[in-house]
Amino acid sequence: VCPRCRESMLRFELDGVEIDRCDRCEGTWLDSGELVVLIERRGSGGDHLRDAIRAGPWVGKTRLRCVRCRRRLHEVYLSRDPEIVVDCCPGGHGVWCDRGEMSMILERFSTRSVIADHLGQVYAACRDA
Amino acid sequence: VSRDMWQAIEDNTRRSRWLILLIGLVGILLGALVGWVILGSGGALWGLVGALVIWGALLTITFRGGERVLLFASGAREIRREDAPRLWNVVEEMTIAAALEPPPRVYLLDGYMQNAFSFGFGSGSARIVVTEGLVRRLTRDELQGVIAHEIGHIRNQDVRFMTLASVMLGGVTLIADTCRRILCLGGGRRSRAQGLQVWVVLMVLLGLCSVLAPVFAHLLYLACARRREFLADASAARFTRYPEGLASALEKISERKGVTSEESLRVLAPMYVVNPLGSNSEGWGWFRTHPPTELRIRILRSMAGAGWADYERAWHEVRDPGERGIDPALLASEASIPKRPPSERDEDGAEDFGRSGEVVAVFDRDQDRVLVECACGLRIKVPASFPRDWIHCPRCGSAHRVPQPGPDVRSMGGDGGLVYRRRSRGWETFRCECGRVNHLSPGLRVSEVRCRGCRRHIRIVSFRGDPHQEPMEPLRTGAPMARQSGALKDQSVAKQ
């Protein structure tokens, strides 16, 4: 269920890895379980996007709640310029990216992260994701 | 299975009886104390009887479907062969290797926690539960190791003991909890009849007991649980003839014990492959249900062969040579069994991929999602409540019609049997006459499935050749939903 609109999300599966996307607000939920599977499949140790999420300053709580544990998501700054903010579950269940954030993440991380690479493949036809 | 193996199993059974008796005794004494505090000196007998009744009721429930209580509590879903043929295949292999008759029933638990457990009484109704995260992350050899470990538990009759013990433990906890509630509410008849001092002393005593009894029962339980893990590991090595499989699975599982541990129930902890609650790094501690995972991996990795004797030797190598292993008699009873080489993995891990896909599909089905497969390889899972008729693939941009409600299954012949004709060798989604969405996996090789909604049998006519060359039979076949739901509507109009 979409944390923002509270509606069932569409689920896109590519290479056995699933991504949830809300059809209304066009936000994307990345489940950490899926990300673990993805990183392991591609056989790479580190991942820039994941590291950025871990290292980025965790600012305040948002209104949105985690899809899995219902705890409030925290805002995490991936970069200041351009300003990319994603919402992360404090329990580590996943990451929520709003509509505009996804395209910025793809632009910035696509060459250095298997996660962003995978997202880029799934959203190949809609660049404004 | 050698005679000494049976010896080990017999030991297990004997120990189980003692344990259950002890836990029961703790419960009954506690009950007597509660009765005494509440009703005065005559109440001890009533408390004792009450505790006996609770104990008896719990035992009855346990023997008549206690595993269902546990299953319900953990939210597991039973899978059939047609749901996940590749996972089923692994279980079947190990069932045959262990000569387990009848085969265990397999359940899948939703979530990214990686673990497996088994329960049930005797081998007849044994159930193995694996989590979705486990199946998706492990390779075939690793999964085989884990399943073999669980089947080892079933074979060694650990499972019966564990289920019984955890239900008994639940009973003691229940009585202790009642005690604590009574304490909180303050009182009983005695408080009025006797002096305040006596009452305070009794309350403290009762409070102490209500805290200590579950702890004591738990300790007893753990003492018996740990050694079983080694025995099950040895069994797994023997059944798979490939100890490395389980070793590397344990390594994977313990390195990150899933994202959430609250998903698991505390009572179920001893039944998992790796303890889902606590850390497993080092030391034996009193509260551990499992031996340290690292130790188990080291033993498995230093095995020269795959037999009991090999495990026994490796155990002595890794641990103190003077210590008693699984069973000293095993060493003499059997020669070393050679290991098998690792099974060949296809380059892109297609086998692991497929199994993972099957498992994902099991849960999609439960959420009533409709599958739309795009030619670019992306699979779109549309929720049943999706409001629009069309959907665009985010990968290649092509438009797909969202399947609309309407039966794809046709009644044929006089007996009213349902038939669905496959349109491809890939994943397929169709709706039954009752309206429920059903899925067919690419690996499915059965001629009949049951509808998830109305439970009617649906005959599956297998796919032959290219769908473009096959002439359409509009009234007798089910049309693939993604493309032909318009045609379906026409058919229903024509029928009327």
Side-chain angles (χ1 to χ4, degrees), chain B residues 84-95:
Chain B
R86 294 179 211 218
L87 172 63
W88 195 272
N89 177 256
V90 176
V91 177
E92 218 164 36
E93 252 175 34
M94 287 304 101
T95 311

Side-chain angles (χ1 to χ4, degrees), chain A residues 2-5 9-10 12 19-30 95-102 123 129:
Chain A
C2 170
R4 201 173 281 282
C5 319
M9 290 191 275
L10 288 170
F12 301 127
I19 289 171
D20 291 295
R21 187 192 192 202
C22 177
D23 192 54
R24 188 192 275 182
C25 68
E26 298 186 355
T28 301
W29 171 259
L30 306 172
V95 180
W96 172 258
C97 309
D98 280 320
R99 187 191 149 99
E101 289 160 1
M102 183 55 79
Y123 291 138

Side-chain angles (χ1 to χ4, degrees), chain B residues 427-461:
Chain B
W427 288 89
E428 274 178 59
T429 308
F430 66 91
R431 271 185 208 266
C432 176
E433 273 193 344
C434 68
R436 273 300 272 271
V437 173
N438 289 274
H439 296 263
L440 300 176
S441 74
L444 184 71
R445 294 280 179 276
V446 296
S447 59
E448 205 173 66
V449 294
R450 284 182 89 172
C451 171
R452 293 189 308 119
C454 58
R455 308 296 297 158
R456 287 170 73 184
H457 291 275
I458 302 170
R459 196 154 68 82
I460 303 296
V461 181

Side-chain angles (χ1 to χ4, degrees), chain B residues 308-324:
Chain B
W308 295 113
D310 298 300
Y311 192 86
E312 184 77 15
R313 242 172 253 133
W315 158 284
H316 285 299
E317 245 169 62
V318 173
R319 284 183 71 76
D320 185 12
E323 203 176 348
R324 186 178 175 270

Side-chain angles (χ1 to χ4, degrees), chain B residues 179-199:
Chain B
C179 280
R180 234 167 290 162
R181 278 238 176 106
I182 291 163
L183 274 184
C184 288
L185 293 172
R189 201 176 296 167
R190 202 181 177 90
S191 58
R192 270 161 273 138
Q194 305 242 321
L196 186 71
Q197 276 174 329
V198 181
W199 182 75

Side-chain angles (χ1 to χ4, degrees), chain A residues 8-16 18 23 31 33-34 40-41 68 91-93 121-126, chain B residues 112 136-137 256 259-260 353 356 360 364 367 369 377-383 386 388 391 394-397:
Chain A
S8 288
M9 290 191 275
L10 288 170
R11 190 167 283 172
F12 301 127
E13 184 191 331
L14 186 65
D15 296 341
E18 291 184 324
D23 192 54
D31 209 290
E34 300 290 332
E40 234 162 54
R41 286 262 170 82
R68 285 187 169 263
H93 291 105
Q121 280 186 42
V122 172
Y123 291 138
C126 45
Chain B
Y112 294 101
R136 295 188 60 189
R137 265 189 80 195
R256 186 185 163 89
V259 192
T260 42
F353 247 29
S356 163
V360 171
D364 282 340
Q367 293 159 358
R369 288 178 180 274
L378 189 76
R379 294 165 61 193
I380 308 169
K381 293 158 183 181
V382 187
F386 192 67
R388 289 189 283 116
I391 190 165
R395 192 175 186 211
C396 64

